[in-house]
């Protein structure tokens, strides 16, 4: 498999930490956007802010040139720094619930009844759990501006006016005084240095303005300079003759963007851009590119040069630190008060302070993909943040140092970047004034994505388990992703560790009320542990597990016969309980039946499982595919197909004996059960052996053992037999054919204490000549559950092929 390129590895992070622009427009622009099903001009520009092809050469923070091939930008309509309350467990659970709703929750493509599918392991883990991808996108979309970093702060204000305005220049000046612009200049990192970019829009629905639009744009350019563009949209005025295929392509541009930016708010039936044609789409794309190449990127480059000069002393190593220490301890009081208290109670720095300027310098360099220089600035800034005990700022710098190390092409050792993320998460959760859970989770998501891109799956479980235990369903999702990481190990999948974390995920999903994913995780544990045990037995040349179970494999029998019986019991009980809650009574009964096969379960649990099994049957017997009481009493054929077949009690067919004529005179014949497994034993009238006369009684002795440690009762114990009358008997009896051909005694009650073995005798008396076949035993377990036990002996083991071994 080809190794992903560096650009692909850091694409997710580059989009998460890209520049942002505040977009404000006049009411006329809002109307021009509404006809294209876009609420704002920012929504109209949003699809073209992804992977903008800049193709320019710029300079890094030290003056060295490098090539910037593409860049992302996000457009917003407002800017506020508000106190963000800590996410409650219910809010996170609801977000995860919403992510799960539209996903396939049953498919497990990487596990089959034969083990792990190597071809499926090559795919990304996001395919295995699409709800994580949706949650990740939604979580990153809901991030809000913070005082400790400049990533969510606008670097530019895009002001948009229509050419149909009476005074477009005046309208743009009014937008300059907008309250959102004032908040950017007073509360944002950009301050008074924020870039203003102006766009004049010509609406194709107003053809009268077309003749004067160029003159109006010249006025805008003279008033505001070169940071301005002319955009013509809504050219598709004749909707009747519109090309349907072209409109479908145009609409998909916005639909695909919404699926990324708003993954949990789908618009499946929405049509976008109905008034646009492909020329308008090209014009929108060119406008965004021009905005980036001519305005935003040069502005950020200029700010990097200015900030680099202003913070040169702080970045000069020991000399700069001595200068900072001298200023701190011997400077005036006014100069030393660079710290403020944020709205969440944490300490941060004034945006004009040297510390905040260094953070801004590092963030701008990072957004322009100069990761090496950004890392060096972050490392200097975090020392100042630590000395001032500004823990939120320190955590943010630590986070970005680790991100920069993983964004660089040369891999660092784990010790070099893992400590950065560990410190960041710890500070976010425990050292800040109020726990910054949203930032800690963002840090974990970013780190996990970078580890996946670099194929460092062995580091992922430790990272994911840093998610707080109070996160509810998010903790479950983290455990599930940690389990998947063990399947992606380079040498071979770690199936037992995968099973352990999948079980943890199932428990967390169950607590969060997401039963479907809990059920899926438990099924994965059954499949993976069964595959693990089968592999271990095959490697040690032991007897393989070929019995079929609930999941179509030998999983249940393998677990029951191993040291994993406790896990097997837990899984079966949880799956049975979940199936009961989902009213899937057939599968619930099978899972509870599987609980009856182990003697290593404590007596209290065995008693509990037995009572739940009987209660399940009582509550759902009308919904189960079992034989009716009338059919049971009549002893109709096919009872073995309609009754439940339990492993409790065990009947050893090899110890079964048949005694001929037990009550008549003469020598009795004690016959053993026929071996071979081809068919049940048969007593044949008229043959050279196994003969009995009409009216003669035959006693069948069965050795019954209770493998449990608790007592059980077998009520109405009898045999399931099939009788084929001889031809002469049919002709002789004629009208008497409706009378029973044989009679079987029934043992009313068989009481078996824990571990007890007992012998049960059932007598059969034939009333006419023919062939009598004994197929199995039937009884009511604890006088409630109708049960069938086959008496067919197993055949000889096959050793011809590897599958048979």
């Amino acid at each position: 498999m080809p190794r992903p390129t560096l650009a692909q590895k850091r694409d997710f992070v580059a989009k998460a930490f890209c520049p942002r622009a505040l977009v404000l427009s006049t009411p006329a622009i809002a109307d021009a956007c509404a006809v294209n099903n876009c609420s704002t001009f920012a929504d109209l520009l949003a699809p073209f802010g992804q992977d903008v092809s800049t193709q320019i050469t710029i300079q890094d923070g030290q003056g060295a040139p490098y090539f910037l091939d593409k860049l992302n930008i996000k457009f917003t309509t407002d800017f506020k720094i508000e106190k963000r309350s800590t996410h409650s467990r219910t809010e996170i659970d609801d977000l995860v619930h919403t992510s799960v709703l539209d996903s396939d929750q049953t498919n497990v493509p990487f596990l089959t009844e034969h083990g792990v599918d190597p071809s499926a392991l090559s795919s990304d883990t996001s395919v295995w759990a699409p709800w994580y991808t949706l949650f990740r996108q939604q979580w990153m979309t809901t991030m809000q501006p913070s005082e400790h970093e400049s990533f969510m702060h606008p670097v530019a204000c895009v002001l948009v006016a229509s050419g149909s305005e009476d005074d477009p220049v005046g309208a743009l000046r009014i937008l300059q005084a907008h309250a959102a612009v004032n908040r950017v200049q007073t509360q944002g990192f950009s301050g008074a240095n924020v870039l203003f970019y102006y766009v004049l829009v010509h609406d194709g629905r107003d053809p009268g303005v077309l003749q004067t639009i160029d003159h109006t744009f010249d006025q805008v350019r003279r008033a505001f300079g070169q940071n301005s563009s002319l955009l013509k949209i809504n050219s598709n005025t004749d909707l009747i003759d519109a090309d349907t295929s072209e409109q479908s392509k145009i609409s998909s541009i916005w639909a695909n963007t919404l699926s990324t930016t708003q993954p949990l708010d789908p618009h499946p039936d929405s049509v976008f851009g109905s008034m646009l044609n492909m020329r308008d789409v090209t014009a929108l794309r060119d406008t965004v590119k021009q905005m980036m190449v001519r305005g935003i990127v040069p502005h950020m480059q200029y700010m990097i040069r200015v900030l680099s000069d202003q913070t040169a002393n702080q970045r000069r190593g020991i000399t700069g630190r001595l200068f900072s220490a001298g200023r701190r301890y011997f400077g005036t009081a006014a100069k030393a008060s660079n710290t403020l208290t944020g709205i969440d109670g944490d300490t941060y720095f004034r945006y004009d302070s040297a510390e905040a300027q260094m953070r801004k310098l590092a963030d701008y360099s990072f957004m322009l993909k100069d990761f090496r220089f950004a890392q060096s600035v972050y490392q200097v800034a975090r020392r100042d943040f630590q000395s001032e005990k500004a823990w939120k700022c320190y955590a943010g710098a630590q986070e970005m140092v680790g991100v920069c190390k993983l964004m660089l092409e040369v891999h660092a050792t784990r010790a070099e970047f893992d400590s950065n993320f560990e410190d960041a998460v710890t500070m976010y959760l425990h050292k800040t004034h109020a726990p910054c859970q949203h930032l800690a989770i963002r840090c974990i998501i970013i780190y996990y994505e970078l580890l996946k891109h670099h194929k460092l799956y062995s580091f992922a479980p430790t990272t994911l388990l840093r998610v707080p235990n109070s996160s509810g369903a998010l903790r479950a999702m983290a455990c599930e992703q940690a389990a998947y990481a063990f399947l992606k190990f380079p040498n071979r999948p770690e199936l037992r560790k995968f099973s352990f974390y999948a079980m943890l995920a199932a428990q967390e999903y169950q607590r969060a009320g997401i039963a479907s994913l809990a059920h899926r995780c438990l099924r994965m544990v059954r499949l993976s542990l069964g595959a693990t045990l089968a592999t271990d037995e095959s490697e040690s040349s032991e007897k393989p597990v070929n019995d079929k179970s609930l999941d179509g494999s030998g999983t249940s029998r393998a677990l029951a016969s191993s040291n994993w019986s406790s896990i097997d019991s837990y899984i079966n009980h949880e799956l049975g309980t979940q199936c009961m809650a989902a009213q899937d009574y057939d599968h619930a009964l099978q899972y509870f039946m599987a609980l009856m096969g182990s003697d290593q379960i404590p007596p209290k649990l065995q008693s509990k499982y037995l009572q739940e099994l009987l209660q399940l049957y009582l509550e759902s017997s009308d919904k189960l595919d079992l034989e009716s009481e009338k059919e049971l009493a009549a002893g109709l054929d096919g009872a073995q197909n309609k009754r439940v077949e339990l492993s409790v009690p065990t009947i050893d067919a090899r110890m079964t004996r048949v005694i001929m004529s037990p009550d008549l005179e003469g020598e009795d014949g004690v016959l053993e059960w026929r071996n071979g497994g081809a068919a049940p034993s048969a007593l044949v009238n008229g043959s050279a052996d196994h003969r009995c006369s009409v009216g003669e009684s035959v006693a069948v002795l069965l050795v019954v053992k209770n493998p449990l440690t608790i007592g059980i009762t077998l009520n109405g114990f009898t045999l399931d037999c099939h009788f084929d009358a001889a031809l002469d008997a049919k002709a002789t009896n004629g009208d008497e054919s409706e009378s029973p051909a044989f009679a079987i005694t029934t043992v009313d009650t068989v009481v078996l204490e824990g571990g007890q073995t007992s012998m049960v005798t059932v007598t059969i008396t034939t009333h006419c000549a023919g062939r009598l076949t004994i197929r199995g035993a039937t009884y009511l377990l604890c006088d409630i559950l109708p049960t069938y036990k086959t008496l067919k002996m197993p055949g000889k083991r096959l050793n011809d092929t590897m599958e048979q071994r």
Side-chain angles (χ1 to χ4, degrees):
M1 182 178 179
R3 181 179 177 179
T5 63
L6 183 61
Q8 292 173 335
K9 289 182 178 182
R10 58 195 185 189
D11 185 61
F12 173 77
V13 179
K15 289 182 179 180
F17 297 119
C18 68
R20 279 166 170 74
L22 176 68
V23 180
L24 300 174
S25 60
T26 61
I29 296 298
D31 178 66
C33 296
V35 296
N36 295 294
N37 202 15
C38 295
S39 56
T40 63
F41 194 75
D43 294 335
L44 192 67
L45 294 179
F48 310 102
Q50 299 182 11
D51 298 328
V52 181
S53 179
T54 52
Q55 301 294 318
I56 55 176
T57 300
I58 58 177
Q59 293 181 344
D60 61 14
Q62 297 175 337
Y66 69 98
F67 186 71
L68 185 65
D69 57 344
K70 64 179 181 179
L71 199 63
N72 297 279
I73 185 170
K74 292 183 179 179
F75 300 99
T76 182
T77 57
D78 198 4
F79 172 76
K80 291 180 181 178
I81 297 181
E82 299 176 332
K83 185 176 182 179
R84 181 160 185 169
S85 59
T86 302
H87 285 279
S88 66
R89 177 165 181 162
T90 303
E91 292 174 339
I92 296 178
D93 288 352
D94 291 342
L95 184 57
V96 177
H97 265 289
T98 310
S99 304
V100 171
L101 288 178
D102 297 330
S103 303
D104 183 5
Q105 306 162 31
T106 59
N107 187 28
V108 187
F110 48 89
L111 286 175
T112 66
E113 62 181 28
H114 304 295
V116 180
D117 184 5
S119 61
L121 291 182
S122 60
S123 60
D124 189 77
T125 55
S126 60
V127 180
W128 303 346
W131 44 89
Y132 163 74
T133 304
L134 293 175
F135 174 85
R136 179 197 68 187
Q137 294 172 349
Q138 184 69 13
W139 191 269
M140 300 304 294
T141 302
T142 56
M143 295 301 299
Q144 297 177 0
S146 178
E147 297 153 326
H148 78 292
E149 62 183 12
S150 65
F151 285 120
M152 308 296 171
H153 296 232
V155 299
C157 294
V158 181
L159 309 181
V160 189
S162 173
S164 61
E165 308 270 358
D166 295 336
D167 182 12
V169 175
L172 291 173
R173 293 192 187 278
I174 293 175
L175 291 177
Q176 283 182 332
H178 195 278
V181 175
N182 181 62
R183 286 193 293 270
V184 171
Q185 294 178 325
T186 57
Q187 301 178 16
F189 259 92
S190 298
N193 296 320
V194 63
L195 171 70
F196 284 94
Y197 197 90
Y198 307 89
V199 179
L200 184 65
V201 177
H202 168 63
D203 192 337
R205 297 176 299 168
D206 190 1
V209 185
L210 182 61
Q211 299 176 355
T212 60
I213 190 65
D214 291 334
H215 174 70
T216 305
F217 180 64
D218 289 338
Q219 292 178 343
V220 171
R221 179 166 290 183
R222 285 196 298 271
F224 301 108
Q226 297 299 317
N227 288 332
S228 54
S229 298
L230 175 62
L231 174 64
K232 298 180 181 181
I233 60 173
N234 294 340
S235 302
N236 187 25
T237 56
D238 192 1
L239 296 178
I240 298 178
D241 299 332
D243 187 350
T244 304
S245 61
E246 180 176 298
Q247 288 302 311
S248 177
K249 293 179 181 178
I250 293 175
S251 179
S252 65
I253 295 175
W254 280 267
N256 294 336
T257 302
L258 284 176
S259 65
T260 303
T261 58
Q262 303 177 21
L264 303 184
D265 187 19
H267 302 76
D269 301 327
S270 300
V271 178
F272 302 94
S274 57
M275 292 292 295
L276 303 176
N277 56 25
M278 293 307 297
R279 290 194 302 273
D280 295 338
V281 172
T282 302
L284 284 166
R285 183 177 289 106
D286 292 342
T287 299
V288 174
K289 181 178 179 179
Q290 182 179 354
M291 184 189 307
M292 294 291 292
V293 175
R294 297 184 181 180
I296 293 178
V297 173
H299 170 73
M300 295 180 69
Q301 277 279 279
Y302 170 75
M303 292 305 303
I304 288 175
R305 290 195 298 270
V306 172
L307 294 172
S308 181
D309 293 339
Q310 292 178 351
T311 61
N313 287 333
Q314 282 74 23
R315 295 183 290 105
R316 285 175 182 168
I318 185 63
T319 304
R321 290 196 293 276
L322 289 174
F323 177 78
S324 298
R327 183 185 63 183
R328 184 179 301 111
Y329 292 108
F330 302 106
T332 62
K335 298 256 184 182
S337 59
N338 286 330
T339 60
L340 298 173
T341 301
I343 58 176
D344 53 2
D346 288 303
T347 300
Y348 75 101
F349 293 87
R350 298 172 57 94
Y351 293 145
D352 58 353
S353 65
E355 292 83 359
Q357 295 298 316
M358 276 195 295
R359 174 69 200 224
K360 181 179 178 181
L361 171 62
D363 290 347
Y364 276 31
S365 299
F366 187 93
M367 286 187 280
L368 293 185
K369 302 183 180 182
D370 185 6
F371 304 119
R372 194 175 301 278
F373 179 71
Q375 177 186 341
S376 64
V377 179
Y378 283 128
Q379 289 173 332
V380 175
R382 71 178 176 182
R383 291 194 292 265
D384 292 336
F385 298 153
Q386 186 178 21
S387 63
E388 294 290 345
K389 298 183 179 180
W391 300 121
K392 188 174 182 179
C393 298
Y394 173 77
Q398 277 283 68
E399 175 187 5
M400 295 312 299
V401 169
V403 171
C404 289
K405 290 177 180 178
L406 287 176
M407 293 291 280
L408 293 172
E409 187 171 5
V410 179
H411 288 178
T413 61
R414 179 180 182 179
E416 294 180 18
F417 57 77
D418 188 71
S419 60
N420 300 124
F421 290 102
E422 183 179 7
D423 287 349
V425 173
T426 302
M427 295 295 173
Y428 280 140
L429 293 177
H430 304 296
K431 294 288 285 186
T432 54
H433 183 268
C436 300
Q437 191 179 54
H438 58 289
L439 292 173
I441 294 175
R442 182 193 72 175
C443 179
I444 293 172
I445 291 175
I446 292 292
Y447 186 22
Y448 176 51
E449 291 301 316
L450 287 172
L451 290 177
K452 286 200 303 181
H453 289 317
H454 285 281
K455 310 297 182 184
L456 301 175
Y457 290 100
S458 59
F459 305 156
T462 305
T463 301
L464 291 164
L465 292 183
R466 291 170 184 159
V467 172
N469 291 328
S470 60
S471 301
L474 180 57
R475 176 75 176 184
M477 193 178 294
C479 291
E480 183 183 13
Q481 291 295 314
Y484 295 151
F486 285 107
L487 294 180
K488 303 284 284 186
F489 274 26
N491 295 330
R492 59 177 295 181
E494 297 285 346
L495 288 179
R496 294 194 176 181
K497 292 181 180 179
F498 163 80
S499 302
F500 174 75
Y501 283 95
M503 184 173 293
L504 292 180
Q507 293 176 336
E508 294 293 342
Y509 277 131
Q510 190 68 27
R511 295 191 188 102
I514 310 180
S516 58
L517 291 187
H519 187 90
R520 180 179 185 270
C521 289
L522 289 175
R523 285 185 57 244
M524 291 192 302
V525 175
R526 287 179 60 87
L527 290 170
S528 61
L529 283 181
T532 303
L533 294 170
T535 302
D536 293 345
E537 289 176 358
S538 175
E539 291 178 352
S540 60
S541 300
E542 296 180 1
K543 182 178 179 179
V545 178
N546 293 323
D547 298 319
K548 296 296 180 181
S549 68
L550 297 173
D551 292 312
S553 66
T555 305
S556 183
R557 185 68 59 84
L559 292 171
S561 61
S562 70
N563 294 327
W564 295 80
S565 58
S566 298
I567 294 180
D568 180 47
S569 301
Y570 171 81
I571 295 172
N572 285 323
H573 184 263
E574 289 297 319
L575 289 173
T577 305
Q578 293 170 12
C579 289
M580 284 182 61
Q583 297 185 348
D584 185 4
Y585 297 112
D586 288 326
H587 285 98
L589 183 64
Q590 295 180 54
Y591 286 122
F592 275 105
M593 285 160 46
L595 290 169
M596 299 292 101
S598 176
D599 58 353
Q600 301 181 16
I601 304 176
K604 289 185 178 180
L605 279 181
Q606 285 185 351
S607 179
K608 174 187 175 184
Y609 294 158
L610 179 59
Q611 293 300 322
E612 290 179 344
L613 172 62
L614 299 176
Q615 187 66 28
L616 168 63
Y617 175 74
L618 289 175
E619 294 179 356
S620 58
S621 58
D622 58 330
K623 302 179 180 65
L624 295 170
D625 186 19
L626 299 175
E627 189 176 18
S628 66
E629 295 297 330
K630 182 178 179 180
E631 291 172 324
L632 292 175
L636 298 180
D637 292 339
Q640 69 272 24
N641 295 326
K642 297 183 178 180
R643 284 175 171 256
V644 174
E645 185 166 1
L646 283 176
S647 57
V648 176
T650 60
I651 300 178
D652 191 351
R654 294 170 297 181
M655 297 295 294
T656 302
R657 296 293 184 266
V658 178
I659 302 179
M660 311 295 295
S661 306
D663 298 325
L664 300 181
E665 297 179 359
E667 183 180 356
D668 295 338
V670 181
L671 308 176
E672 293 186 1
W673 217 241
R674 190 170 63 189
N675 195 4
S681 291
L683 300 179
V684 184
N685 180 269
S687 61
D689 52 357
H690 299 182
R691 294 179 299 172
C692 65
S693 304
V694 174
E696 182 181 357
S697 297
V698 176
V700 180
L701 279 65
L702 302 104
V703 178
V704 182
K705 180 181 180 181
N706 178 14
L708 304 180
T709 56
I710 59 174
I712 59 173
T713 60
L714 312 179
N715 303 94
F717 191 98
T718 187
L719 295 176
D720 174 38
C721 301
H722 177 74
F723 185 80
D724 289 327
L727 295 178
D728 55 349
K730 293 181 181 179
T732 303
N733 293 337
D735 297 336
E736 300 179 359
S737 59
E738 295 183 359
S739 60
F742 60 94
I744 306 178
T745 61
T746 300
V747 181
D748 293 336
T749 303
V750 179
V751 179
L752 297 174
E753 299 298 332
Q756 180 182 354
T757 301
S758 178
M759 180 172 290
V760 180
T761 303
V762 179
T763 303
I764 304 174
T765 304
T766 59
H767 300 312
C768 62
R771 180 187 182 92
L772 181 70
T773 304
I774 303 175
R775 296 183 296 194
T778 62
Y779 52 90
L780 292 178
L781 179 64
C782 298
D783 205 19
I784 294 177
L785 184 62
T787 310
Y788 175 85
K789 200 73 176 177
T790 182
L791 296 179
K792 181 184 294 187
M793 293 183 62
K796 186 178 179 181
R797 178 184 173 186
L798 302 178
N799 293 281
D800 295 336
T801 63
M802 182 61 68
E803 289 78 6
Q804 292 172 350
R805 299 191 186 98

